[in-house]
Amino acid sequence: MPMFVDDSPAGECIFCKLVTGEIPSAKVYEDELTIAFMDIGQATRGHVLVASKRHAANLLELTPEETGAVMQTAQRVAAAVNQAFDPDGINIFQANGAPAGQTVFHFHLHVLPRYTCDGLAITWQRQEPGMPVLDELAARLRQALA
Ligand code: AMP
Ligand code: ZN
């Protein structure tokens, strides 16, 4: 039972087709495990996606090797974005599950160049519940990690 809804079986999803070249993409980089290409809907100028080549719906389905590889590719792409577009900052964004904003259920992360006053809002409300609550939450995670 997958953790999040994956309505795109391996080989049939849009990014699998992009990996095989069945549908076109503006490719930036590829290696054995990863591929980077321009997002068709540019949130900001130079917005790139870094995807696993193998179909994995989300972060929890990547192997440890793929997890390392996608972040290494993201760093390479971020350096290239920095050189090519001279942004004022860069966000790395990655969604798991529809409630988190995921719309394509094949692992990818966004490399988002940021420009002063670009109008892109990534915001959330912060709560400070205090140390007893933080300690309890941390204890649950330590148990899950054990
Ligand atoms: P997410 O909402 O995090 O799942 O991101 C999916 C992203 O895929 C969106 O930003 C889309 O613009 C992008 N996208 C969808 N189809 C294509 C495509 N054929 N080529 C490039 N990017 C795509
Ligand atoms: Zn896929």
Side-chain angles (χ1 to χ4, degrees):
M1 185 72 177
M3 173 72 65
F4 305 115
V5 176
D6 175 10
D7 56 3
S8 319
E12 289 172 31
C13 92
I14 191 159
F15 285 0
C16 281
K17 290 180 177 162
L18 200 144
V19 167
T20 61
E22 201 178 321
I23 64 164
S25 69
K27 192 157 62 181
V28 171
Y29 172 83
E30 72 178 313
D31 58 27
E32 191 191 343
L33 297 177
T34 71
I35 185 167
F37 51 93
M38 303 312 293
D39 194 305
I40 202 167
Q42 295 277 287
T44 59
R45 183 167 175 268
H47 178 183
V48 180
L49 298 180
V50 175
S52 56
K53 277 195 169 168
R54 183 181 69 85
H55 182 83
N58 56 57
L59 179 66
L60 301 189
E61 292 191 3
L62 292 183
T63 65
E65 195 186 7
E66 288 168 332
T67 305
V70 292
M71 191 48 85
Q72 285 188 28
T73 298
Q75 188 193 37
R76 288 186 77 155
V77 168
V81 158
N82 207 35
Q83 191 179 314
F85 304 120
D86 194 26
D88 301 307
I90 297 173
N91 280 121
I92 301 297
F93 177 80
Q94 195 268 318
N96 301 282
Q102 187 174 13
T103 58
V104 176
F105 295 89
H106 174 133
F107 176 90
H108 58 281
L109 59 78
H110 299 254
V111 178
L112 277 165
R114 299 304 306 271
Y115 306 95
T116 305
C117 303
D118 62 21
L120 185 66
I122 302 174
T123 60
W124 60 85
Q125 298 278 329
R126 294 179 73 250
Q127 286 181 38
E128 292 192 15
M131 272 318 262
V133 173
L134 296 180
D135 277 340
E136 190 212 318
L137 297 173
R140 287 177 65 170
L141 288 174
R142 284 195 299 272
Q143 196 176 10
L145 284 164

